[in-house]
Amino acid sequence: MDSFFANIDWADIAQATLDTLAMLGGSLALTVALGLPLGVVLFLTGPRQLLEQKAVHGILSVIVNILRAVPFIILLIIMIPLTVLLVGTSLGVAGAIPPLVVGAAPFFARLVETALREVDRGVIEASQAMGATPRQIVFGALLPEALPGLIAGITVTAIALVSYTAMAGVVGAGGLGDLAIRFGYQRFQTDVMIVTVVLLLVLVQVLQMVGDRLVVRVSRR
């Protein structure tokens, strides 16, 4: 068994795991902070909604669709100048977070818009009948009613970010993906590749389990 793990440096594995968790945590927090309001605006300005604005909705939809259409590996490369401008480097955990957020926020915004569309129209109409303002409807009715869908969207986005962090290893972002590419792929160290892939699978499984339990919990309220 020891010979199978001959190339494994467990200290490097531990550090790469921490780097992956740091990239995931930082980018997920920023993705939710940007994607949630963007998704709400997309919903509110859509057809037959509270603040219907065809021009605003159309422009935002085009921007979101363009960002979602760009393959993440290409986004990583074309964002290098902007990433350096924002955080001073395009390498490591700090250098990975800007492209991770730009790649995931539009995706999450669409999930938010979809979750809000699934809210019963009667809830909105009842709030309007009671004289609630759009702001009160959003925070008092829409977001609480859509909470299970929003948590499910955050879970899906977090899992997508795990795969993005692995791809970010191509440009030296660090983390498990970086180890898999530098040692597993470029140096043909199969044991390193297997260990990093297993750890990524465990991380995805944990995220899905936690997300599912939270959805069940808030749905029972």
Side-chain angles (χ1 to χ4, degrees):
M1 186 64 115
D2 289 341
S3 60
F4 180 79
F5 293 113
N7 298 309
I8 299 293
D9 184 329
W10 293 107
D12 285 346
I13 293 290
Q15 184 59 52
T17 302
L18 292 175
D19 287 346
T20 294
L21 293 175
M23 281 188 282
L24 175 62
S27 59
L28 182 61
L30 291 171
T31 294
V32 173
L34 293 175
L36 181 60
L38 178 58
V40 171
V41 172
L42 277 169
F43 172 76
L44 292 177
T45 58
R48 296 186 303 160
Q49 299 303 334
L50 292 173
L51 305 174
E52 181 176 352
Q53 290 286 337
K54 290 183 179 178
V56 174
H57 184 78
I59 292 171
L60 288 178
S61 292
V62 169
I63 293 173
V64 166
N65 290 341
I66 289 174
L67 290 175
R68 290 182 62 196
V70 178
F72 183 67
I73 192 69
I74 303 298
L75 186 65
L76 274 171
I77 296 169
I78 63 177
M79 274 199 62
I80 286 177
L82 179 60
T83 301
V84 173
L85 182 66
L86 290 174
V87 298
T89 178
S90 64
L91 302 176
V93 173
I97 288 179
L100 286 171
V101 173
V102 172
F107 173 70
F108 179 62
R110 284 298 188 196
L111 296 179
V112 171
E113 183 186 16
T114 301
L116 294 176
R117 283 179 177 171
E118 292 176 354
V119 174
D120 189 345
R121 185 78 186 172
V123 174
I124 299 174
E125 293 173 350
S127 300
Q128 287 178 304
M130 290 186 290
T133 64
R135 179 186 176 86
Q136 290 171 326
I137 293 174
V138 169
F139 289 100
L142 278 174
L143 292 180
E145 288 293 325
L147 191 56
L150 295 176
I151 293 175
I154 292 173
T155 303
V156 171
T157 304
I159 291 172
L161 280 169
V162 171
S163 66
Y164 287 177
T165 62
M167 280 189 277
V170 174
V171 293
L176 293 169
D178 182 51
L179 276 189
I181 292 169
R182 285 193 295 120
F183 294 92
Y185 176 65
Q186 295 177 343
R187 301 183 188 181
F188 302 104
Q189 294 178 354
T190 305
D191 50 354
V192 176
M193 178 71 80
I194 291 175
V195 169
T196 53
V197 170
V198 168
L199 288 172
L200 289 171
L201 290 174
V202 169
L203 179 56
V204 167
Q205 186 64 29
V206 169
L207 288 170
Q208 188 65 61
M209 288 175 60
V210 171
D212 289 346
R213 290 192 176 188
L214 286 175
V215 169
V216 171
R217 178 168 295 183
V218 298
S219 297
R220 286 176 177 172
R221 289 180 179 175

